[in-house]
Amino acid sequence: MRAFIITAMVMLYSGFSFGEEASSASFVGDWKDIHVRTDSFTSIKVGTYPDDPRYVGRKINISDNKISGFLDVDFQCKYTAENAAAESFDNLLLKTTGERYSDPKVPGAKDFGFKFSGNENVTPIFVKCNEGTFGPKGYQVPNWIALLDNGQLVTNWIDGSFLVLQRMSANEKVSPGFDCKKSSDPTEIAICNNSDLSSWDNSVKTAYEMAISSLSKTDSNSKSSIAKLKSEQLSWIKERNNCNSNISCIKKSMQDRVDALEAIF
């Protein structure tokens, strides 16, 4: 797995509240990543993709003094918070990514696929990691998280990207990308009985589909390349199933497969 250097400073933000003070209690609970937003105008190839399967489906826990989870690496941040002044989301975005090298030089929320206007104010809460780490530092600001009007969280991530998080319900069950009713293999049964493994199975499926799509668009010999990839995928499934019901083995196999597939696109 790619290991990224992560800063030890985090900022938590409230939603679009025009100056209303936020509380870190607004963020307490379990969250999962549902989108990865990237700059549609970027001219530089980066290693983070729209709805990147390394991140979509991953779980983050926020308590009143700690943020922890897995986003390509395990992380934990024990923090204290303080209020900060309000500013527009677009202004915060600019401070996070900086200007582009080519026109349009000033980025905005819509450029990243956000469904809201960037003119609304956000009221930040700065959170200092007294122990551990979380996300990357921005161009002029530390890492931050913002609670939006729709109840979702946004945080800036690596390569100038943003993660969109959704609050998880109690005992939320995640289904894998195959029909559990038709499964008899011990590995598939283990995946069906474990939401974390199920989310990784979905990530493998998404990465595989993205790799097929990439080959069909960019490979002049795509038919042969796609056939080779399909054969490799079947071989990998057989190898993964050698894990039987060993959860750690299954998880590592799927994480490694996502990385291998991402190397194609």
Side-chain angles (χ1 to χ4, degrees):
M1 305 291 288
R2 285 185 282 263
F4 299 104
I5 298 175
I6 303 177
T7 66
M9 182 73 74
V10 183
M11 295 195 307
L12 294 184
Y13 283 76
S14 75
F16 301 140
S17 53
F18 293 93
E20 179 184 349
E21 288 193 358
S23 167
S24 59
S26 306
F27 312 109
V28 170
D30 289 328
W31 302 80
K32 67 178 178 182
D33 181 49
I34 59 171
H35 291 296
V36 179
R37 301 298 191 191
T38 61
D39 187 359
S40 60
F41 285 97
T42 186
S43 58
I44 302 173
K45 182 175 176 59
V46 296
T48 302
Y49 307 95
D51 287 346
D52 196 312
R54 284 177 297 155
Y55 303 120
V56 172
R58 306 292 82 82
K59 177 181 174 182
I60 296 174
N61 176 265
I62 302 177
S63 69
D64 57 359
N65 64 357
K66 184 172 70 174
I67 307 170
S68 60
F70 183 93
L71 289 170
D72 211 36
V73 293
D74 287 305
F75 67 87
Q76 179 173 284
C77 164
K78 293 184 178 180
Y79 69 89
T80 52
E82 62 179 273
N83 292 329
E87 62 181 315
S88 72
F89 186 87
D90 273 355
N91 192 49
L92 174 61
L93 190 151
L94 177 60
K95 288 182 178 179
T96 303
T97 66
E99 290 189 354
R100 301 185 183 99
Y101 294 107
S102 57
D103 292 330
K105 291 189 174 181
V106 179
K110 298 292 186 182
D111 302 338
F112 288 80
F114 290 111
K115 305 302 181 184
F116 52 84
S117 168
N119 296 325
E120 296 90 343
N121 277 5
V122 291
T123 305
I125 295 178
F126 295 85
V127 178
K128 179 181 179 181
C129 285
N130 300 310
E131 181 180 330
T133 58
F134 181 45
K137 182 179 180 180
Y139 179 66
Q140 292 180 322
V141 292
N143 179 233
W144 53 267
I145 297 178
L147 179 63
L148 306 180
D149 278 343
N150 61 6
Q152 294 176 348
L153 294 181
V154 176
T155 183
N156 67 299
W157 200 241
I158 62 168
D159 297 327
S161 66
F162 297 84
L163 306 182
V164 181
L165 311 176
Q166 180 173 286
R167 188 181 292 276
M168 298 180 68
S169 58
N171 302 315
E172 182 171 323
K173 172 70 173 174
V174 179
S175 298
F178 57 87
D179 189 351
C180 289
K181 294 179 180 178
K182 298 179 180 179
S183 300
S184 58
D185 182 88
T187 297
E188 291 188 348
I189 292 173
I191 293 171
C192 290
N193 291 333
N194 186 298
S195 287
D196 186 35
L197 294 182
S198 291
S199 74
W200 275 107
D201 181 79
N202 289 324
S203 293
V204 171
K205 180 181 179 182
T206 298
Y208 175 70
E209 292 171 348
M210 291 172 73
I212 293 288
S213 177
S214 178
L215 288 174
S216 66
K217 295 175 182 177
T218 61
D219 193 327
S220 59
N221 193 26
S222 61
K223 189 173 182 179
S224 175
S225 297
I226 290 173
K228 182 174 180 289
L229 179 59
K230 289 181 177 180
S231 177
E232 290 173 347
Q233 186 74 357
L234 291 174
S235 296
W236 169 77
I237 291 173
K238 291 179 181 179
E239 180 181 342
R240 180 205 64 186
N241 289 353
N242 288 332
C243 290
N244 292 310
S245 57
N246 186 315
I247 292 175
S248 296
C249 177
I250 299 169
K251 184 174 181 177
K252 185 178 186 306
S253 177
M254 291 194 288
Q255 289 173 339
D256 290 347
R257 187 58 180 162
V258 169
D259 279 351
L261 289 166
E262 285 212 355
I264 296 173
F265 56 88

